[in-house]
């Protein structure tokens, strides 16, 4: 074993953290300062993130939609392709990482090499032992950088048997209903989801979406008798459930919509300098956060079910947050039933909850949304090093006490960490890598860096928080505060915000993104990539605030479920009597179908609704009869267009041809009456000789539709009538 004068750095993990760390050491410091080797046990880069639509071996489903937009899931110096949606799918994130690795190469990437043991030498060097198909190897490095991430292995609770009569999988292994329900005794039809925080909400909503699609899609069913199945979600307490698009002005009559992280990371809404809002959550802070979340959603969630309501007993408790487009509406529809409690035992197809010994029987399969144990991500470190960093497997949310927000330890100058905490926002990973590079390349830190390190209390904070009963959901999750603190230590200035239209509070948005922090040594190419990122974020914000962008998506999401429908028909021709319809309208979610549209087979068709209305029509002449009709509603994400399609008469589960696209109308800012109305929209359709002119009004309460109206005027040689209908929950 030999060690050269060049600084050899070993990085453990080729996910986002490892790739940004390697890029920073190789491209953002003086050339040839470091030689970097990356070891990863997987055969491909990307960490959790799959590289293709069919890459199902990762811990993330390739078709899972990211719960942060590409304006947050980015590094400062690589822009996303324009054709990637605002909320990328997991495989698209993997593709981004692939491009990043190719653009900023230079590291010696050893895939299929698992680090099994490390040893700290007396001079600070690291002996690293790996295992691979090539056999065991040992190398010596000047530095060791841990970038293994926080998702070491799925947690399998003690009460869950390793072998059972029914299928049991961790949420990270769920892919589809067919795979979940393969095998088992089929004595029950309840799919049990255990775990009430982020992953529990997400996977319950995903399974409900798959189940709804299995029930309501045309053609052969993906599983036998899908209509018999339901989802039973076990949660210890309710979470606030945010959709992927929210509003920067939720109180507006026609609220504008943006990807959820843009309003969340609007620095204009926070007093400066930023104070840490994570970690310990006081009663006053809990009241404030819960109030903010309720205003963003426009509800305490009681309208969906008492079991998901954030009531008075929880207002003073630290809030828990989850992301899902359809979870709460599936709860309202009854496809998801929620039981509050904790599982005490699971035997056969019956589970027992610790609260009042409630039993849930008839279980067909179990999905464990019980999180991940980060400790295996550190198991290659020697025991004395683990002791130094106060390693505590019994505290999975805070397993290591590290300095400067999880980046280093003052007693271990040649050991660094990037991305080792929950919610490792990409901007923070990049900042951590920059800090490590600074610490490993300067003999004397600058005054700003020294003051930041000297005043840092991160280690003690972690130790105190381990026993804190008011610990926040994400102890290190205050993204904006962390970015501020790293920037201060590194003497980096955030770029000036790009002006957006003024909001109701009189301020323009000041949206935090990684691209607003570029290093001094930035090349023209890197600066160009940052500029593309900034321009994309600004275009998105302006589009949402001034051009009705994403309103179609918000309407589509909120239609799910059953509505009360009342419709009046007024005819001017005696051959077509007037009358009134009273009944229900159901929007039944399913995977998009190709019927009626010309698209390549491999295109992602998104989601759509089968619309079914049913009720009684009472004519003005006293005649009363049952009436029903069907449509297919579709949302085209690439075009940001909501459309309505006729259903086939010979197969009413299928779309036939386009009825109309819905065009949303931006409210006139100078029209006071227009400012009091909901979102207005229009459409038209010529059916042979009959012209249908359509007007819509969608009334939101923050992110949720509360009521909407549709009016038709139909004119032709033999038709002259108007229809006005109102839909209410």
């Amino acid at each position: 074993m030999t060690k050269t004068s060049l600084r050899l750095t070993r990085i453990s993990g080729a996910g986002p953290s490892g790739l940004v760390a390697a890029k920073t050491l190789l491209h953002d410091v003086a050339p040839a300062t470091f030689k970097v080797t990356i070891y990863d046990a997987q055969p491909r880069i990307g960490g959790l993130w799959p590289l293709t639509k069919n890459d199902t071996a990762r811990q993330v489903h390739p078709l899972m939609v990211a719960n942060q937009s590409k304006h947050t899931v980015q590094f400062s110096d690589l822009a996303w392709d324009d054709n990637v949606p605002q909320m990328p799918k997991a495989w698209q994130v993997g593709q981004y990482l692939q491009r990043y690795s190719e653009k900023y190469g230079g590291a010696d990437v050893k895939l299929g090499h698992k680090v099994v043991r490390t040893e700290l030498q007396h001079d600070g060097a690291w002996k690293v032992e790996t295992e691979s198909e090539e056999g065991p190897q040992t190398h010596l490095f000047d530095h060791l950088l841990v970038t293994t991430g926080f998702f070491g292995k799925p947690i399998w609770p003690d009460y869950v048997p390793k072998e059972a009569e029914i299928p049991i999988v961790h949420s990270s292994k769920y892919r589809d209903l067919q795979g979940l329900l393969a095998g088992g005794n089929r004595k029950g039809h309840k799919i049990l989801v255990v775990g009430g925080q982020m992953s529990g909400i997400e996977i319950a909503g995903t399974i409900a979406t798959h189940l709804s699609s299995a029930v309501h899609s045309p053609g052969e069913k993906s599983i036998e008798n899908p209509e018999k199945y339901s989802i039973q979600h076990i949660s210890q307490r309710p979470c606030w459930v945010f959709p992927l698009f929210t509003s920067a002005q939720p109180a507006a009559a026609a609220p504008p919509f943006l990807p959820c992280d843009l309003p969340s990371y609007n620095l204009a809404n926070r007093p400066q300098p930023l104070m840490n809002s994570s970690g310990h959550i006081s009663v006053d802070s809990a009241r404030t956060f819960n109030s903010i979340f309720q205003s963003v959603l426009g509800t305490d969630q009681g309208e969906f079910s008492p079991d998901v309501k954030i009531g008075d007993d929880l207002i003073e408790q630290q809030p828990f947050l989850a992301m899902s487009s359809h979870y709460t509406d599936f709860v309202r529809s009854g496809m998801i039933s929620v039981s509050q409690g904790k599982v005490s035992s699971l035997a056969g197809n019956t589970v027992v909850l610790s609260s009042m010994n409630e039993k849930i029987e008839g279980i067909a399969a179990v999905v464990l949304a019980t999180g991940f144990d980060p400790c295996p991500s550190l198991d290659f470190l020697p025991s004395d090093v683990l002791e130094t960093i106060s390693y505590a497997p019994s505290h999975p949310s805070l397993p290591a006490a590290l300095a400067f927000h999880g980046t280093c330890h003052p007693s271990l100058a040649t050991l660094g960490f990037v991305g080792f905490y929950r919610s490792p926002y990409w901007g923070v990973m990049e900042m951590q890598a920059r800090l490590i590079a600074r610490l490993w390349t300067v003999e004397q830190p600058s005054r700003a860096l020294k003051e930041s390190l000297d005043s840092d209390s991160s280690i003690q904070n972690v130790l105190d928080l381990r026993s804190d009963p008011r610990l926040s959901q994400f102890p290190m999750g205050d993204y904006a505060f962390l970015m501020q603190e790293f920037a201060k230590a590194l003497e980096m200035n955030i770029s000036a915000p790009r002006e957006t239209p003024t909001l109701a509070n009189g301020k323009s948005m000041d949206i935090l993104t990684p691209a607003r922090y570029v290093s001094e040594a930035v090349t023209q190419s890197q600066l160009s990539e940052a500029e593309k990122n900034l321009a994309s974020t600004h275009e998105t914000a302006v589009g949402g605030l001034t051009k009705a962008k994403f309103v179609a998506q918000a309407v589509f999401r909120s239609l799910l479920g059953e509505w009360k429908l009342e419709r009046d028909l007024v005819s001017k021709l005696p051959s077509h009597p007037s009358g009134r319809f009273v009944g229900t309208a159901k929007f039944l979610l399913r995977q998009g179908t190709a019927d009626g549209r010309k698209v390549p087979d491999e295109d992602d068709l998104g989601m759509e609704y089968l619309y079914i209305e049913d009720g009684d029509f009472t004519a003005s002449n006293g005649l009363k009869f049952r009436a029903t009709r069907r449509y297919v509603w579709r949302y085209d994400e690439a075009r940001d267009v909501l459309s309505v399609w006729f259903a086939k008469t010979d197969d009413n589960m299928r779309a036939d041809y386009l009825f109309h696209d819905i065009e949303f109308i931006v409210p006139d800012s100078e029209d006071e009456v227009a400012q009091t109305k909901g979102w207005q929209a229009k459409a038209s359709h010529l059916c042979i000789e009959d012209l249908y002119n359509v007007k819509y009004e969608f009334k939101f309460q923050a992110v949720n539709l509360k009521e909407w109206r549709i009016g038709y005027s139909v004119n032709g040689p033999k038709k002259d009538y108007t229809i006005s209908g109102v839909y209410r929950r």
Side-chain angles (χ1 to χ4, degrees):
M1 298 181 298
T2 60
K3 183 174 66 145
T4 69
S5 58
L6 190 68
R7 297 178 185 180
L8 304 177
T9 299
R10 181 265 169 183
I11 293 176
S12 178
S17 301
L19 295 177
V20 74
K23 171 260 170 185
T24 303
L25 293 172
L26 291 170
H27 294 270
D28 292 354
V29 299
T33 301
F34 291 96
K35 181 179 180 181
V36 175
T37 301
I38 301 177
Y39 290 117
D40 198 302
Q42 297 190 98
R44 292 175 294 277
I45 69 163
L48 299 173
W49 301 98
L51 300 183
T52 67
K53 296 178 182 180
N54 301 318
D55 184 0
T56 59
R58 307 298 179 106
Q59 290 180 340
V60 173
H61 193 302
L63 300 182
M64 184 199 79
V65 178
N67 57 27
Q68 303 278 288
S69 77
K70 60 185 181 183
H71 310 287
T72 297
V73 182
Q74 64 169 233
F75 294 128
S76 65
D77 47 11
L78 183 65
W80 281 88
D81 289 336
D82 292 338
N83 61 350
V84 174
Q86 295 292 321
M87 299 292 185
K89 289 185 170 61
W91 71 271
Q92 293 169 320
V93 177
Q95 289 283 303
Y96 178 91
L97 292 172
Q98 182 73 52
R99 288 199 301 117
Y100 189 78
S101 176
E102 293 169 355
K103 184 175 180 64
Y104 299 110
D108 183 13
V109 182
K110 301 285 190 181
L111 298 173
H113 286 66
K114 181 180 181 181
V115 177
V116 294
R117 193 174 295 104
T118 60
E119 183 179 314
L120 179 60
Q121 308 297 292
H122 293 297
D123 62 352
W126 288 86
K127 184 168 71 173
V128 177
E129 298 180 28
T130 63
E131 290 181 354
S132 69
E133 292 181 353
E134 303 169 6
Q137 296 180 346
T138 301
H139 300 276
L140 202 62
F141 295 89
D142 295 285
H143 303 94
L144 175 63
L145 194 50
V146 178
T147 62
T148 45
F150 212 72
F151 302 97
K153 70 174 182 180
I155 293 175
W156 195 272
D158 294 337
Y159 58 78
V160 180
K162 295 294 184 181
E163 296 183 4
E165 298 177 17
I166 57 176
I168 302 176
V169 301
H170 191 269
S171 58
S172 61
K173 300 297 182 182
Y174 174 82
R175 295 295 178 263
D176 52 43
L177 291 172
Q178 301 96 305
L180 175 64
L181 298 173
N185 58 22
R186 288 296 192 283
K187 293 180 180 178
H189 290 92
K190 293 178 182 176
I191 298 173
L192 189 73
V193 175
V194 181
Q197 291 197 37
M198 186 78 77
S199 60
I201 298 290
E202 287 185 356
I203 200 65
T206 297
I207 296 173
T209 299
H210 292 174
L211 187 56
S212 179
S213 187
V215 174
H216 303 298
S217 293
E220 185 177 351
K221 300 302 181 184
S222 59
I223 60 172
E224 186 178 353
N225 299 320
E227 68 282 353
K228 292 184 177 180
Y229 287 90
S230 63
I231 298 163
Q232 188 74 40
H233 184 201
I234 309 300
S235 173
Q236 293 189 44
R237 53 162 289 185
C239 279
W240 293 107
V241 184
F242 275 53
L244 298 181
F245 288 79
T246 59
S247 180
Q249 299 190 118
F257 288 91
L258 291 169
C260 59
D261 45 336
L262 270 59
S264 295
Y265 304 143
N266 179 11
L267 299 178
N269 288 336
R270 292 184 61 171
Q272 303 289 328
L274 300 171
M275 303 299 291
N276 190 5
S277 64
S278 289
H280 172 82
I281 305 297
S282 67
V283 171
D284 286 343
S285 293
R287 290 197 194 101
T288 299
F289 283 127
N290 283 310
S291 175
I292 291 172
F293 293 164
Q294 182 167 340
S295 66
V296 171
L297 295 177
T299 175
D300 63 5
Q301 300 185 160
E303 65 192 73
F304 302 105
S305 167
D307 295 315
V308 297
K309 179 180 179 179
I310 309 294
D312 294 340
D313 56 328
L314 291 173
I315 295 302
E316 295 185 351
Q317 299 299 313
Q318 57 269 51
F320 288 82
L321 177 68
M323 309 293 297
S324 177
S325 293
H326 301 298
Y327 174 86
T328 48
D329 280 311
F330 277 127
V331 170
R332 171 160 45 194
S333 74
M335 182 170 284
I336 298 176
S337 298
V338 180
S339 293
Q340 292 185 16
K342 188 175 183 180
V343 175
S344 61
S345 67
L346 174 61
N349 65 350
T350 300
V351 69
V352 178
L353 303 185
S354 56
S355 55
M356 302 178 65
N357 284 327
E358 178 186 350
K359 287 186 178 181
I360 300 175
E361 299 177 315
I363 299 171
V366 179
V367 179
L368 300 172
T370 44
F372 292 84
D373 181 1
C375 295
S377 297
L378 303 176
D379 61 7
F380 53 79
L381 292 176
S383 58
D384 56 338
V385 170
L386 291 175
E387 183 178 354
T388 299
I389 63 175
S390 303
Y391 174 66
S394 59
H395 295 281
S397 62
L398 296 165
L402 300 170
F404 215 81
H405 314 292
T407 306
C408 54
H409 195 283
S411 301
L412 300 164
T414 57
L415 177 65
F417 295 80
V418 173
F420 189 69
Y421 68 101
R422 293 181 70 192
S423 294
Y425 298 105
W426 292 38
V428 175
M429 288 189 267
E430 191 169 25
M431 287 297 208
Q432 288 180 320
R434 288 166 172 165
L435 185 75
I436 289 294
R438 184 72 59 86
L439 292 175
W440 288 354
T441 55
V442 298
E443 294 184 4
Q444 294 294 329
S446 67
R447 175 183 294 182
L449 180 56
K450 186 176 186 305
E451 289 178 352
S452 294
L453 295 174
D454 289 345
S455 62
D456 176 55
S457 59
S458 298
I459 291 176
Q460 189 59 51
N461 288 344
V462 168
L463 298 176
D464 292 342
L465 288 172
R466 284 176 175 172
S467 58
D468 191 338
R470 299 193 64 87
L471 183 68
S472 62
Q473 182 182 14
F474 303 109
M476 289 177 57
D478 190 344
Y479 171 44
F481 172 76
L482 291 175
M483 293 295 281
Q484 170 191 269
E485 295 304 290
F486 277 103
K488 186 188 303 180
L490 295 167
E491 298 176 276
M492 298 181 71
N493 294 319
I494 186 172
S495 64
R498 304 201 172 189
E499 188 172 350
T500 67
T502 303
L503 303 181
N505 60 8
K507 299 179 181 179
S508 175
M509 294 188 74
D510 184 0
I511 303 167
L512 173 63
T513 69
R516 292 183 65 185
Y517 290 97
V518 294
S519 61
E520 292 182 0
V522 65
T523 66
Q524 187 58 46
S525 174
Q526 290 173 303
L527 195 61
S528 175
E529 294 293 321
E531 173 61 30
K532 290 178 185 176
N533 272 331
L534 293 171
S536 174
T537 301
H538 183 252
E539 180 184 0
T540 298
V542 172
L545 294 174
T546 66
K547 299 179 181 179
K549 196 170 178 62
F550 313 122
V551 176
Q553 193 279 345
V555 169
F556 179 82
R557 178 200 66 81
S558 203
L559 288 171
L560 176 63
E562 184 173 317
W563 297 80
K564 298 177 182 178
L565 169 59
E566 297 178 2
R567 180 189 293 123
D568 291 308
L569 185 152
V570 178
S571 176
K572 296 181 180 179
L573 301 177
S575 57
H576 290 73
S578 302
R580 182 174 177 80
F581 173 91
V582 177
T584 61
K586 294 181 179 180
F587 286 84
L588 306 171
L589 190 66
R590 69 188 191 188
Q591 185 65 39
T593 58
D595 297 324
R597 48 186 173 182
K598 298 178 181 179
V599 292
D601 292 340
E602 67 272 12
D603 267 19
D604 182 359
L605 300 178
M607 303 300 295
E608 66 185 27
Y609 290 113
L610 175 63
Y611 170 97
I612 302 177
E613 70 177 50
D614 186 72
D616 294 318
F617 182 82
T618 304
S620 55
N621 59 14
L623 182 64
K624 184 176 182 179
F625 56 90
R626 183 184 174 192
T628 184
R629 70 173 69 184
R630 296 189 177 207
Y631 295 103
V632 174
W633 285 56
R634 290 168 166 165
Y635 174 64
D636 184 334
E637 185 172 19
R639 297 168 54 224
D640 190 35
V641 170
L642 186 60
S643 60
V644 185
W645 298 65
F646 290 107
K648 290 186 175 182
T649 55
D650 57 344
D651 186 353
N652 60 15
M653 294 280 282
R654 295 184 178 277
D656 193 356
Y657 59 95
L658 178 67
F659 184 8
H660 57 255
D661 289 336
I662 299 176
E663 179 186 349
F664 288 88
I665 302 169
V666 179
D668 185 347
S669 59
E670 298 182 359
D671 186 336
E672 294 183 2
V673 175
Q675 294 297 310
T676 64
K677 295 182 178 180
W679 276 104
Q680 307 293 306
K682 63 182 180 179
S684 64
H685 172 77
L686 181 63
C687 182
I688 307 177
E689 296 180 300
D690 301 322
L691 179 63
Y692 289 72
N693 283 314
V694 191
K695 292 184 178 180
Y696 290 90
E697 181 178 10
F698 297 97
K699 295 184 177 180
F700 280 88
Q701 185 170 322
V703 299
N704 294 304
L705 266 181
K706 304 299 290 185
E707 176 183 306
W708 58 285
R709 296 173 180 270
I710 181 171
Y712 292 89
S713 62
V714 184
N715 299 101
K718 297 181 180 181
K719 294 181 181 179
D720 188 0
Y721 62 88
T722 60
I723 297 176
S724 59
V726 58
Y727 295 75
R728 299 185 178 94
R729 282 293 186 188

